[in-house]
Amino acid sequence: MDMRTRRQLLESIRRAHQADTAHAAAHRAHVRAATAAAHARPRIAGDASHQLSADDLAAGQAAYEDLARRERAARAKVCRTFTAARAANSALGTLYAPHARGRGTGGRRRSDVTAGILGELAEAPRDLVLAADAIVVSTSGGKDSVVCADRVVALAAETGCLDKVVMVHADLGEESEWPGVRELAQRQAERWGVRFLVVKAEGGLLGLVEKRGLWPDAARRLCTASLKRDRIAPLFTQIANALGLGEQALILSALGIRAAESPARTRKMPLALDLRASTGRRMVLTWHPILDLTEADVWHRIADAGLEYHPVYDALLPRLSCVFCVLAGRDVLVRAVRLCWALGLDLPARYTALEERIGHRFKQQFSLAEVVAEAARAEAEEGALLWARGDVLRRHVGERAAADYLRRLDAAA
Ligand code: SF4
């Protein structure tokens, strides 16, 4: 199957999904409208038997007729969206039929067809890069982001597509993140000579929690959605518009996530169709170029390629996340508090004050105030946190490779 056919099929899948979603929404709206009308009818009958005034009865009757009219309109929409969904799915079946055994989608579910096409595409990343109109690499400035960007940029350079690459950083501000994160992400982009864009998430995590009066958690991870994903999403529209193509643009959205990070990430595929961000004007494929890497692989690549990383890793924090990430474990949070103190940051006091003000614990299992108390005990027993530049590399790639890395980085500075 050639690239053009795959793209046509993916677009047909997107349309079928969109049509099904519209039909499901219409169905839900009809159920609501029908329920409201059904409730209004006995009320009218009851009112009549209680001999209300003619004016009140007329008003009740008018309200009921309005609800009945809405129910009929909602029912008509269900029929329209059903027809549209059937047409979209039938178009997909016709398009896929030459590539399938049997009729329609050959008995395969749409999700299997999608996975098959995306799986083939993911196995040919050079073709993917060549076919893309733009490649957006989301970067937190962290170790996985920089290795992801390194892979994407290497492929783009090999295929003469470096001008398609843009690195995007969601800046949550220094009330949420460690100092120097945005500047680091910018230096990483400048190293390869690719465009660098920043989207600001005003208020950051602190502002979000202040507004909601609740900390996010793993089940309701609103912070990533509202502070990162939703800020970056409008860029896809801007990029597609700037391309000014007479046809649907193909945008690759590269993310530096790894399967080894969590069970949820183990279930991710190397390539996915972003149905939320895709429209008739742009197809957005989410690409996970380093899904297969382990943490050790990442540090080896950083050492080998001389990629700059943030100093918090040397203080043995495993992720360059928000200073107090709601997903972090207790020991990491204790270390983050001690690192704040070592760097002279007042964030522990500000976050615990917020926790007290809103009356909602940072985590169900423990409060941030408890974490700060534990950090204070550790400081009293062990003294202030100490670390040296290159410590994380010494742990992961060995003394000699770390020394070599530092020498090369200093020489390049
Ligand atoms: S780093 Fe943690 S706290 Fe910050 S946005 Fe991501 S999940 Fe939320």
Side-chain angles (χ1 to χ4, degrees):
M1 199 188 293
D2 61 17
M3 181 62 77
R4 188 179 154 76
T5 308
R6 286 180 183 134
R7 283 191 60 175
Q8 283 175 340
L9 274 167
L10 287 175
E11 173 56 6
S12 188
I13 287 166
R14 185 195 69 76
R15 285 193 193 154
H17 173 84
Q18 189 182 40
D20 284 351
T21 306
H23 177 57
H27 181 68
R28 286 194 300 274
H30 176 245
V31 170
R32 283 195 302 276
T35 307
H39 278 134
R41 188 201 293 267
R43 253 198 342 261
I44 299 286
D47 289 347
S49 67
H50 284 93
Q51 297 184 346
L52 287 184
S53 73
D55 284 353
D56 286 346
L57 266 178
Q61 186 64 34
Y64 167 70
E65 279 168 12
D66 186 45
L67 287 170
R69 184 188 53 74
R70 287 185 201 198
E71 188 274 333
R72 286 192 299 277
R75 192 167 2 122
K77 192 165 181 184
V78 170
C79 293
R80 280 199 310 277
T81 54
F82 173 76
T83 306
R86 195 171 53 182
N89 280 283
S90 158
L92 170 59
T94 305
L95 199 58
Y96 187 70
H99 312 282
R101 287 189 218 103
R103 295 177 59 220
T105 54
R108 294 178 77 192
R109 287 185 309 160
R110 194 195 305 158
S111 57
D112 294 337
V113 174
T114 312
I117 296 168
L118 292 171
E120 286 171 19
L121 281 174
E123 282 173 16
R126 284 172 64 91
D127 295 348
L128 198 56
V129 166
L130 280 165
D133 296 300
I135 306 170
V136 178
V137 183
S138 294
T139 174
S140 66
K143 66 181 193 310
D144 297 330
S145 291
V146 72
V147 172
C148 169
D150 177 61
R151 272 203 172 178
V152 172
V153 164
L155 268 170
E158 273 172 43
T159 47
C161 296
L162 206 52
D163 58 330
K164 295 178 182 176
V165 179
V166 52
M167 286 175 67
V168 181
H169 175 68
D171 184 358
L172 273 57
E174 294 208 344
E175 285 183 331
S176 302
E177 294 185 294
W178 296 103
V181 171
R182 191 193 63 72
E183 293 82 355
L184 171 64
Q186 182 162 359
R187 282 197 302 279
Q188 290 166 342
E190 284 168 356
R191 168 194 165 118
W192 293 300
V194 299
R195 281 176 296 155
F196 177 69
L197 297 176
V198 175
V199 290
K200 287 255 180 206
E202 297 299 344
L205 180 64
L206 211 64
L208 180 82
V209 175
E210 187 97 55
K211 203 155 103 192
R212 295 179 64 234
L214 291 173
W215 298 96
D217 56 32
R220 287 153 301 171
R221 201 168 148 186
L222 294 170
C223 44
T224 317
S226 64
L227 299 175
K228 295 182 179 174
R229 190 195 64 205
D230 294 352
R231 309 288 166 140
I232 290 175
L235 279 182
F236 297 134
T237 312
Q238 290 167 24
I239 288 170
N241 288 345
L243 284 166
L245 303 175
E247 56 182 11
Q248 188 187 47
L250 177 61
I251 299 177
L252 290 181
S253 167
L255 300 177
I257 65 163
R258 293 181 296 109
E261 286 180 284
S262 69
R265 291 188 172 182
T266 312
R267 292 189 289 276
K268 298 275 183 196
M269 301 306 288
L271 201 63
L273 176 57
D274 186 340
L275 290 162
R276 186 196 297 257
S278 297
T279 66
R281 290 186 46 76
R282 60 179 184 272
M283 176 178 293
V284 181
L285 297 183
T286 306
W287 185 22
H288 303 131
I290 64 160
L291 197 62
D292 57 334
L293 298 195
T294 64
E295 188 180 8
D297 293 334
V298 166
W299 285 114
H300 276 279
R301 182 60 198 158
I302 287 174
D304 292 348
L307 304 172
E308 187 184 356
Y309 64 84
H310 197 280
V312 296
Y313 291 112
D314 286 331
L316 302 188
L317 288 188
R319 293 182 62 223
L320 182 63
S321 58
C322 290
V323 172
F324 299 121
C325 173
V326 293
L327 304 181
R330 188 175 180 126
D331 54 340
V332 172
L333 291 166
V334 167
R335 203 156 179 95
V337 170
R338 296 178 69 192
L339 184 56
C340 283
W341 289 337
L343 298 175
L345 303 175
D346 67 352
L347 296 177
R350 296 182 63 180
Y351 274 70
T352 46
L354 173 64
E355 183 180 55
E356 193 176 335
R357 204 162 54 247
I358 62 174
H360 181 236
R361 282 156 75 93
F362 181 73
K363 282 199 170 215
Q364 205 181 0
Q365 309 91 316
F366 54 82
S367 69
L368 207 49
E370 286 164 8
V371 170
V372 172
E374 192 172 326
R377 282 195 296 278
E379 291 274 295
E381 284 169 19
E382 302 164 18
L385 209 57
L386 293 175
W387 67 93
R389 191 161 167 250
D391 272 356
V392 68
L393 288 179
R394 285 182 197 97
R395 268 165 46 100
H396 287 282
V397 300
E399 185 70 50
R400 188 185 295 178
D404 183 47
Y405 166 89
L406 292 174
R407 232 184 344 266
R408 279 184 291 141
L409 214 64
D410 289 344

